[in-house]
Amino acid sequence: MAETILVTGGAGYIGSHCVLELLQAGYVPVVIDNFHNAIRGTGAPARLHPRAGLGSGAPHSPPSPGSEALPESLRRVQEIAHRPVIFQELDITDEAALQELFRKHRFSAVMHFAGLKAVGESVQKPLEYYRVNLTGTIRLLETMKAHGVRNIVFSSSATVYGDPKYLPLDEKHPVGGCTNPYGKSKFFIEEMIWDLCRAERDWNAVLLRYFNPIGAHESGMIGEDPQGIPNNLMPYVAQVEPPQPLGVTGRGRRRWGSTGLSLCAGGSGTPRVPERLWERLQDGRWNGCVTGRGDLGRGNLGFPDPALTLCVPTGVRDYIHVVDLAKGHIAALKKLKENCGCKIYNLGTGTGYSVLQMVRAMEKASGREIKYRITARREGDVASCYADPTLAERELGWKAAFGLDKMCKGIPSLARRALPAPCPPSPPLSSSR
């Protein structure tokens, strides 16, 4: 009999891709989400996607009852997988609703994605992040315990490492020196789960420290499509001019990048780059700092102030394709079967790319120029962060398969197939990962 897996925050970017992988691997996912970072479905019944499925001869299940109430991402997951998705609108801070959910289903494990997740916003709203992420997780763990569910895969983050002491980051790197409340909330949750596994030996947990998920499913039907102004690089880059006012409902969506992309830098005034630095800046190799006044040369980025205070640690990150990440969760579920106790794994590629390199890769994938300007670094960010993923390869049998070009390939397609215009967001309780 197929195992039933609870997926919290499963209508979000990573969660929806994991739901798809669960379906295709033969599991029965039950998804909860509160629509904080998900889009409500259009109301049209789900149709089966002709290019996707489980292979020839696979049974084509009809849409689940009430599929019109599904989040748009999960409606599309149904189309791709040819499988119904069980969904309930629910907030993980609602203890009574969680208890009722666990009475209705016999879960073998939980994949926990739900939580607020924007680094910059967490600096501005720390109490909200602690309340939602910590309180929601405590109530989830208490409910799991009450109903005898002792297996969890937790969506953690490389932000728990704080400012790296060395690179690449392995799982032995010190944690807890987080630079923002979002990262701290992930660290605190890791500590809670560790303590629970030490105190009660029948618990098993796999804590997956993500680096920077990007990309979209090859169908172009699901991917990162946040409500409001994107907090992550790639969905913002995908919406930079020229605008694409097309959606599946025929309604236009606002393109947040219509005035160009802002890349991290420090200081004030105009970033005008001296000739000798321009080539290195363009291909993403420049990671230093220069001040003074100089000739415009090729470095004129079109701003009027001649003063230069330019810092370009444009952010070196380990970008990982979201499908690779989702497959890592399936590997983690299998690890739980070994009664593994509490295990931690980095999920990354082991290669760091600068933001400018990512912009260049997106230009290549989309076939168009992407406008950008240099601005101040976002508060709470670290300059460079990339993984040593060898432990996951050795113990989970998992390794990232997508290279940079393939990671970027599906994003322009997703932007052209934009999801419907979002409804007003619900109060920011627990959100989709």
Side-chain angles (χ1 to χ4, degrees):
M1 185 174 178
E3 294 182 52
T4 302
I5 309 297
L6 174 62
V7 185
T8 73
Y13 174 43
I14 300 172
S16 59
H17 284 81
C18 286
V19 170
L20 177 57
E21 291 295 326
L22 285 167
L23 288 168
Q24 293 179 332
Y27 295 92
V28 178
V30 175
V31 183
I32 61 172
D33 201 288
N34 75 342
F35 287 98
H36 178 62
N37 196 34
I39 297 171
R40 293 182 186 275
T42 61
R47 293 174 296 174
L48 299 180
H49 188 259
R51 291 180 50 206
L54 300 177
S56 59
H60 289 187
S61 301
S64 60
S67 63
E68 67 278 4
L70 287 174
E72 180 64 22
S73 59
L74 297 183
R75 188 188 69 80
R76 296 183 179 197
V77 164
Q78 283 193 156
E79 292 188 34
I80 298 168
H82 302 283
R83 292 286 188 275
V85 174
I86 303 170
F87 171 77
Q88 181 174 336
E89 182 174 355
L90 190 151
D91 193 289
I92 60 166
T93 62
D94 186 339
E95 184 177 5
L98 279 175
Q99 292 285 350
E100 179 62 26
L101 179 75
F102 274 73
R103 282 192 288 268
K104 287 167 55 178
H105 300 279
R106 292 181 61 86
F107 299 117
S108 61
V110 174
M111 283 187 178
H112 181 28
F113 299 96
L116 300 177
K117 68 180 185 68
V119 168
E121 183 184 59
S122 77
V123 175
Q124 302 301 319
K125 302 177 180 180
L127 287 180
E128 187 173 348
Y129 271 68
Y130 294 137
R131 178 182 61 83
V132 171
N133 294 1
L134 300 184
T135 302
T137 301
I138 290 170
R139 289 180 178 167
L140 175 65
L141 293 172
E142 288 176 338
T143 305
M144 289 174 64
K145 180 177 178 179
H147 292 268
V149 181
R150 301 289 198 271
N151 298 304
I152 185 168
V153 177
F154 173 57
S155 164
S156 191
S157 169
T159 56
V160 301
Y161 292 120
D163 278 312
K165 304 296 187 293
Y166 58 83
L167 292 169
L169 292 164
D170 57 29
E171 290 83 354
K172 295 180 181 178
H173 186 283
V175 293
C178 308
T179 58
N180 54 77
Y182 163 70
K184 290 175 184 176
S185 73
K186 292 292 188 181
F187 170 67
F188 296 153
I189 293 169
E190 283 195 5
E191 290 294 289
M192 284 194 291
I193 295 174
W194 263 111
D195 289 341
L196 183 56
C197 290
R198 290 190 193 101
E200 302 182 24
R201 298 293 182 175
D202 55 345
W203 278 80
N204 299 294
V206 175
L207 315 180
L208 297 177
R209 291 174 179 166
Y210 306 164
F211 281 69
N212 290 72
I214 63 170
H217 187 263
E218 63 181 358
S219 67
M221 296 182 68
I222 58 172
E224 188 167 17
D225 198 68
Q227 295 197 35
I229 300 175
N231 288 297
N232 296 332
L233 172 68
M234 301 313 283
Y236 200 108
V237 170
Q239 296 185 28
V240 171
E241 284 187 333
Q244 305 282 350
L246 299 176
V248 295
T249 61
R251 292 178 289 173
R253 295 196 66 202
R254 180 175 178 181
R255 313 307 295 185
W256 298 105
S258 60
T259 59
L261 175 70
S262 297
L263 304 185
C264 294
S268 59
T270 301
R272 296 187 175 186
V273 185
E275 179 81 17
R276 65 186 181 276
L277 299 179
W278 184 244
E279 182 179 349
R280 296 179 69 190
L281 176 60
Q282 287 296 293
D283 65 16
R285 289 177 291 148
W286 176 252
N287 215 31
C289 183
V290 61
T291 61
R293 295 175 182 268
D295 296 334
L296 299 183
R298 283 187 297 163
N300 184 4
L301 298 183
F303 297 92
D305 188 345
L308 173 69
T309 305
L310 177 65
C311 297
V312 194
T314 57
V316 174
R317 295 290 184 270
D318 189 334
Y319 295 92
I320 176 174
H321 197 280
V322 66
V323 173
D324 278 333
L325 193 61
K327 291 180 183 297
H329 287 74
I330 303 301
L333 273 182
K334 294 176 181 177
K335 187 68 177 179
L336 294 174
K337 292 291 189 181
E338 301 176 9
N339 294 319
C340 60
C342 190
K343 292 285 188 178
I344 295 176
Y345 300 101
N346 289 337
L347 294 186
T349 66
T351 302
Y353 295 101
S354 75
V355 173
L356 279 171
Q357 286 175 301
M358 299 305 294
V359 171
R360 294 291 175 254
M362 275 295 292
E363 286 182 326
K364 180 179 177 181
S366 63
R368 61 182 172 84
E369 181 183 3
I370 295 172
K371 299 178 181 180
Y372 67 87
R373 61 181 177 270
I374 309 296
T375 63
R377 182 190 295 186
R378 183 174 63 176
E379 188 176 3
D381 272 347
V382 299
S384 185
C385 182
Y386 54 95
D388 177 352
T390 55
L391 186 63
E393 182 178 2
R394 184 169 65 248
E395 295 192 4
L396 298 181
W398 172 91
K399 185 177 182 180
F402 287 80
L404 182 57
D405 288 344
K406 286 187 177 181
M407 288 188 220
C408 296
K409 185 177 180 180
I411 299 175
S413 173
L414 177 72
R416 289 191 292 271
R417 299 188 57 141
L419 296 177
C423 61
S426 56
L429 298 176
S430 62
S431 71
S432 314
R433 172 73 180 157

